[in-house]
Amino acid sequence: ADGAVYSPTVVDWVLVSLRSGNPEDYAEQCRKAALLHKDGSIEMIAGYDCCVPDLNASYFLMVEHRNHLPVMSHEPLLLVNGVLNYDFTAQQSYITEGSGMAGQKEANGIFFMFGGNGNQSTTEYSDTDINADDQSTWEKQNGQTGYRTGDYNMNGDTNSNDQIIWERNNGQTTSVPR
């Protein structure tokens, strides 16, 4: 069977959604899988439109990944010529005011998603925090190769380097509503 052919720069996929309204009481307008490139850019897959957004409305842009905390734009975005542009590396993403929770990790003025959230379903908060469930995910997959949720640095080999990422981010919780 013929499979899809992707650019050699594609390293994974993410789930992208548009939300309208207030972050705590949002209406999801659409949700779509997209390709993640090694430079961090996201490419929407052609030929699969998830919604027809109101060109005069603004939307929060949310990105979810298999082993990172989800992120959402810090403010609603307007469509410009039918396109939403947002650079998550340029500023802190959405954080509920006064929550003290994580948005993104910052290093040298560049913002990143928190890695180490490999178990997003075991407990009530597993999808929005990095905790012992995620360490257990790494422990069960340690020494294995291939596409795994415990491979926190996404190099195809689950090992002690992934445990270091979990240790550095353990205890982080996001206020991005699910």
Side-chain angles (χ1 to χ4, degrees), residues 5-13 34-39 41 43:
V5 177
Y6 299 111
S7 163
T9 63
V10 171
V11 293
D12 211 342
W13 68 277
L35 301 175
L36 176 64
H37 291 266
K38 64 183 171 184
D39 67 358
S41 64
E43 175 188 354

Side-chain angles (χ1 to χ4, degrees), residues 14-74:
V14 292
L15 195 57
V16 176
S17 58
L18 296 180
R19 296 176 168 191
S20 61
N22 296 321
E24 295 81 18
D25 186 28
Y26 67 89
E28 187 172 88
Q29 298 301 309
C30 68
R31 179 183 259 185
K32 179 180 176 182
L35 301 175
L36 176 64
H37 291 266
K38 64 183 171 184
D39 67 358
S41 64
I42 296 172
E43 175 188 354
M44 302 308 284
I45 300 169
Y48 178 73
D49 296 325
C50 63
C51 66
V52 180
D54 180 344
L55 298 179
N56 297 312
S58 57
Y59 300 94
F60 283 94
L61 176 63
M62 182 170 171
V63 177
E64 300 171 73
H65 184 263
R66 65 185 167 98
N67 61 17
H68 288 68
L69 290 180
V71 294
M72 187 168 69
S73 59
H74 71 288

Side-chain angles (χ1 to χ4, degrees), residues 11 27 37 50 58 61 77 84 101 109 129 134-135 143 153 158 161:
V11 293
H37 291 266
C50 63
S58 57
L61 176 63
L77 310 170
L84 271 180
M101 294 185 177
D129 68 358
D134 305 301
Q135 181 184 27
N153 66 2
T158 306
N161 293 320

Side-chain angles (χ1 to χ4, degrees), residues 69 117-137 140 170 172-173 178:
L69 290 180
N117 189 29
N119 184 336
Q120 298 184 14
S121 62
T122 300
T123 64
E124 180 181 358
Y125 298 106
S126 282
D127 61 341
T128 58
D129 68 358
I130 299 172
N131 60 27
D133 291 339
D134 305 301
Q135 181 184 27
S136 294
T137 297
K140 289 175 188 169
N170 182 34
Q172 295 296 329
T173 302
R178 292 283 233 173

Side-chain angles (χ1 to χ4, degrees), residues 73-151:
S73 59
H74 71 288
E75 62 186 4
L77 310 170
L78 287 171
L79 287 146
V80 177
N81 296 323
V83 175
L84 271 180
N85 269 323
Y86 187 79
D87 184 354
F88 280 98
T89 68
Q91 69 278 311
Q92 186 60 264
S93 64
Y94 176 81
I95 301 173
T96 300
E97 190 173 327
S99 70
M101 294 185 177
Q104 292 171 263
K105 193 170 196 165
E106 186 265 332
N108 301 319
I110 300 172
F111 294 85
F112 305 87
M113 294 174 86
F114 278 98
N117 189 29
N119 184 336
Q120 298 184 14
S121 62
T122 300
T123 64
E124 180 181 358
Y125 298 106
S126 282
D127 61 341
T128 58
D129 68 358
I130 299 172
N131 60 27
D133 291 339
D134 305 301
Q135 181 184 27
S136 294
T137 297
W138 171 82
E139 287 173 345
K140 289 175 188 169
Q141 298 174 6
N142 185 27
Q144 298 179 20
T145 59
Y147 189 82
R148 307 216 177 268
T149 56
D151 179 13

